[in-house]
Amino acid sequence: MLKTINFPDDLRQLSRAQLKPLADELREFVLESVAKTGGHLSSNLGTVELTIALHYVFNTPEDRIVWDVGHQTYPHKILTGRRERMGSLRQLDGISGFPRRAESEYDTFGTAHSSTSISAALGMALAARAKGDDRHAIAVIGDGAMTAGMAFEALNNAGVHEDIKLLVILNDNDMSISPPVGALNRYLARLMSGQFYAKAKHVGKTVLPGPVRELAKRLEEHAKGMIVPATMFEEFGFNYIGPIDGHDLDSLIPTLQNLKNLKGPQFLHVVTKKGQGYKLAEADPVLYHGPGKFDPAEGIKPAAAGKTTYTQVFGEWLCDMAAQNDKLVGITPAMREGSGMVEFERRFPDRYYDVGIAEQHAVTFAAGLACEGMKPVVAIYSTFLQRGYDQLIHDVALQNLDVTFALDRAGLVGADGATHAGNYDMAYLRCIPNMVVMAASDENECRRMLSTAFHYNGPATVRYPRGAGIGVKVQSDLTPIALGTGEIRRPGDKIAILAFGSMVAPALAAGEKLGATVANMRFVKPLDLALLKQLAAEHDALVTVEEGAIMGGAGSAVAEALAAEGIVKPLLILGLPDQFIDHGDAPRLLSACGLDGDGIAASLLQRFGADVLRPVASQAKVG
């Protein structure tokens, strides 16, 4: 049946009885597809019925659906014309793993970071009202995303508009389906979303005398309070319905149809199960959250031992430093596994804080801890720290507080694409007074930099890339690096390549090919000014290389320092271009940006010419 559904119009031609077998086919297709490409699995298995119900009831894309985070939209993509392209998911020139406006008219809002859906849907609902358009705006938000302040800001704003067609669906996939989510609750959900109930409430407001009206209101609240988790959302001005079983189409569809006929902000609470329909994912939804390729019949097998990842380096360092210093506390905004803090939580549970998807709070919370003499370490992805930027400046740096930031996923991140790429941290961090910014070139250097940041009495950041390091042995000691010191990794002449972080390895490859000097600068801020002046004095030209945005990045820092010293020297700045870089295999993306060894060498030859450089082969002949 799934092969006959190319767009939601086809779906809406089916009978209600056909939807259940369609859901089974769709769930199987999602499982088989993700097993071949990798991607998000547990969350998508959990939204199959909800996706079908939404497209069946609402007139998409005229009615707008905004999927919060968007990692649960594979069923949505399959039903909206992209079934045959799922084999290209998250690959170069393939479809994105998240909603993307340029990809489909059914992707009404691009998402990948959390808690944006209600704000966007409210904007769409108010725009529809202003234009006189009769359409609905639906925000589908997960329970984890409701921990962010932005979601509540949007609820607060939306609740005052009584004449808009806005529906917020809370996809609650973290709590079990409790007894109230059954036949009785299905009936009550239908009742509370129906016209009779809505009209009765309206009549009660206008007809009943004051004391009686107040009594009726209290009776209603108490009655609902006995069968639902809370009426908090009603205090925001929403009509709260639920919770209902998010896998029960016979409950979802009539309730959505009723809600479609109501005006004003509506809030539907559905309960789903991550990994629904695939027992292995149901049993361990975290393991199956974002797997690589695997055999569905056998499940995910333990990975063979390979190179140590930077995330592992951080996790081991955090435990080792915590064992030495009892003031260390670890903070994560809902990324315990992704940031490598599982073992830290196990060993130091009283010093571990998961604040939920609340990056702004995470940064200021750390600032408060630092004010009282604690030593907070905030483990956060580069792209997520962007969300706490004001707090970084106002609450941490301005007060010169002792907070260490471990910036994972710095640089390109491959399959997750532009929404998760940490391309801007060097630019947005180095302009902040009091801030120290370091970029790790290998695993052992990452560990030493973390110790450097921890011992620095002020805000300090260590950026490191996603995935495995280059295979360097990690020492067990906690020895820091002298602040603001780089090193020459390869002596050469004519041209000096000043490499930052992950670009040291490809810069060394280019240096070997062309006979250039290669320096591992290590610190974006403070720059090793003495080393910079030495390199400028001993070479004809300088080249900077960074896995970050060229505009305002480490190369810009070098140019500013040279200008301040009155040093006039040819300078080539290499890095990521001024554009958003799509998803794909990370090494291929870096190569396309000219940031592998061959690409760096080619850029040097193009800029300075072969006569300026002295290839190794020529040096050997001269010798």
Side-chain angles (χ1 to χ4, degrees):
M1 192 185 306
L2 183 60
K3 292 182 179 179
T4 68
I5 309 298
N6 295 311
F7 290 99
D9 281 341
D10 302 321
L11 174 68
R12 292 189 277 269
Q13 302 308 309
L14 300 180
S15 68
R16 284 270 298 276
Q18 292 175 295
L19 297 183
K20 178 62 171 69
L22 175 66
D24 294 338
E25 286 188 40
L26 181 55
R27 179 167 281 110
E28 183 178 354
F29 187 92
V30 168
L31 176 59
E32 292 178 354
S33 178
V34 174
K36 293 175 183 176
T37 63
H40 293 98
L41 182 61
S42 297
S43 54
N44 283 288
L45 294 176
T47 56
V48 168
E49 288 84 4
L50 179 58
T51 304
I52 289 173
L54 283 169
H55 284 295
Y56 190 76
V57 172
F58 290 96
N59 183 32
T60 55
E62 177 64 20
D63 290 327
R64 318 294 202 221
I65 303 177
V66 182
W67 299 90
D68 210 284
V69 183
H71 65 310
Q72 76 282 43
T73 53
Y74 298 178
H76 162 80
K77 288 176 181 281
I78 293 164
L79 294 176
T80 54
R82 288 164 280 183
R83 182 183 66 248
E84 299 304 318
R85 296 191 65 199
M86 286 298 289
S88 70
L89 184 75
R90 293 158 48 92
Q91 298 170 32
L92 190 63
D93 299 324
I95 61 174
S96 171
F98 302 99
R100 192 175 183 189
R101 283 172 57 84
E103 189 177 291
S104 170
E105 63 177 335
Y106 291 90
D107 292 359
T108 60
F109 194 78
T111 54
H113 288 192
S114 87
S115 316
T116 62
S117 61
I118 304 175
S119 297
L122 174 60
M124 294 173 180
L126 288 172
R129 187 183 70 179
K131 295 160 64 177
D133 294 338
D134 184 26
R135 66 166 184 263
H136 295 78
I138 303 107
V140 183
I141 184 168
D143 51 348
M146 286 300 299
T147 63
M150 185 175 178
F152 286 93
E153 292 172 14
L155 288 173
N156 185 56
N157 188 197
V160 300
H161 301 284
E162 297 181 354
D163 57 344
I164 56 174
K165 292 188 174 182
L166 173 68
L167 170 61
V168 175
I169 298 177
L170 173 60
N171 177 26
D172 183 347
N173 55 24
D174 203 32
M175 62 175 276
S176 62
I177 298 178
S178 52
V181 185
L184 175 62
N185 205 67
R186 179 193 300 176
Y187 167 74
L188 290 167
R190 280 177 163 179
L191 178 67
M192 289 190 291
S193 63
Q195 288 292 326
F196 176 79
Y197 179 79
K199 288 179 180 177
K201 285 205 302 184
H202 179 71
V203 169
K205 289 178 182 177
T206 56
V207 175
L208 294 177
V212 179
R213 183 166 66 245
E214 182 61 27
L215 176 62
K217 179 181 177 184
R218 292 188 179 207
L219 284 171
E220 176 197 346
E221 288 176 351
H222 282 293
K224 294 178 77 173
M226 285 165 27
I227 57 168
V228 300
T231 55
M232 173 182 66
F233 299 106
E234 298 227 345
E235 296 299 326
F236 279 104
F238 282 75
N239 178 40
Y240 174 93
I241 309 296
I244 64 172
D245 187 345
H247 301 298
D248 182 1
L249 287 164
D250 290 331
S251 180
L252 280 170
I253 289 175
T255 302
L256 289 172
Q257 287 172 334
N258 284 334
L259 288 169
K260 186 178 179 180
N261 295 321
L262 298 180
K263 281 191 175 183
Q266 307 295 320
F267 193 101
L268 176 62
H269 182 174
V270 303
V271 177
T272 61
K273 188 172 187 178
K274 286 184 177 180
Q276 173 74 10
Y278 183 49
K279 296 300 182 185
L280 295 174
E282 289 180 15
D284 194 345
V286 173
L287 178 63
Y288 286 86
H289 170 72
K293 300 176 184 179
F294 69 100
D295 183 348
E298 298 183 4
I300 298 173
K301 300 298 182 183
K307 293 179 181 177
T308 302
T309 67
Y310 283 98
T311 301
Q312 290 172 325
V313 170
F314 167 74
E316 292 169 4
W317 171 86
L318 189 66
C319 290
D320 292 346
M321 187 60 80
Q324 282 198 8
N325 192 314
D326 60 8
K327 291 185 177 181
L328 183 151
V329 293
I331 301 168
T332 176
M335 297 302 295
R336 181 189 63 175
E337 288 80 13
S339 293
M341 298 181 73
V342 173
E343 181 65 12
F344 177 79
E345 182 195 19
R346 188 189 69 80
R347 290 180 56 186
F348 306 97
D350 295 337
R351 293 153 66 183
Y352 167 80
Y353 298 97
D354 182 345
V355 301
I357 304 176
E359 295 86 359
Q360 293 171 297
H361 165 61
V363 176
T364 304
F365 172 56
L369 286 163
C371 283
E372 299 302 322
M374 301 302 287
K375 298 275 289 183
V377 177
V378 181
I380 189 168
Y381 291 5
S382 168
T383 187
F384 294 157
L385 185 57
Q386 295 165 185
R387 311 191 92 191
Y389 191 59
D390 176 65
Q391 290 70 24
L392 189 66
I393 296 173
H394 182 271
D395 300 335
V396 176
L398 187 63
Q399 303 181 93
N400 199 27
L401 293 175
D402 189 3
V403 181
T404 296
F405 294 92
L407 249 62
D408 205 335
R409 272 63 166 180
L412 298 180
V413 292
D416 281 339
T419 56
H420 284 64
N423 298 356
Y424 313 107
D425 54 81
M426 286 189 283
Y428 74 64
L429 286 171
R430 75 174 192 84
C431 62
I432 303 175
N434 297 327
M435 183 68 69
V436 168
V437 185
M438 291 170 271
S441 65
D442 61 47
E443 304 94 310
N444 192 57
E445 189 170 77
C446 181
R447 182 178 173 94
R448 293 188 65 194
M449 285 181 172
L450 288 164
S451 295
T452 307
F454 187 76
H455 290 301
Y456 174 70
N457 188 27
T461 303
V462 180
R463 77 184 309 261
Y464 46 92
R466 179 179 186 173
I470 61 176
V472 170
K473 183 179 179 180
V474 180
Q475 303 297 323
S476 61
D477 61 272
L478 296 167
T479 306
I481 298 170
L483 196 68
T485 60
E487 61 178 359
I488 293 176
R489 292 285 297 273
R490 184 195 186 281
D493 61 3
K494 299 285 187 180
I495 304 292
I497 305 175
L498 287 65
F500 294 84
S502 60
M503 289 293 99
V504 171
L508 283 169
E512 288 292 330
K513 188 175 183 178
L514 301 174
T517 295
V518 178
N520 173 18
M521 295 304 292
R522 298 199 290 209
F523 288 82
V524 179
K525 183 180 181 180
L527 275 174
D528 188 338
L529 192 56
L531 178 59
L532 175 59
K533 291 166 72 173
Q534 175 191 336
L535 293 170
E538 296 175 354
H539 297 81
D540 296 336
L542 302 176
V543 179
T544 64
V545 192
E546 61 194 294
E547 190 178 347
I550 288 177
M551 299 184 72
S556 294
V558 169
E560 292 163 12
L562 292 172
E565 293 294 323
I567 299 172
V568 179
K569 185 71 62 172
L571 175 64
L572 173 62
I573 299 176
L574 301 178
L576 298 176
D578 184 27
Q579 65 187 63
F580 293 111
I581 297 171
D582 252 338
H583 51 273
D585 179 66
R588 288 183 63 188
L589 294 176
L590 285 170
S591 177
C593 294
L595 294 180
D596 57 356
D598 290 341
I600 294 170
S603 294
L604 268 65
L605 288 170
Q606 182 180 11
R607 172 68 180 271
F608 301 112
D611 56 326
V612 177
L613 301 165
R614 292 179 57 190
V616 175
S618 300
Q619 291 178 321
K621 290 178 182 179
V622 171

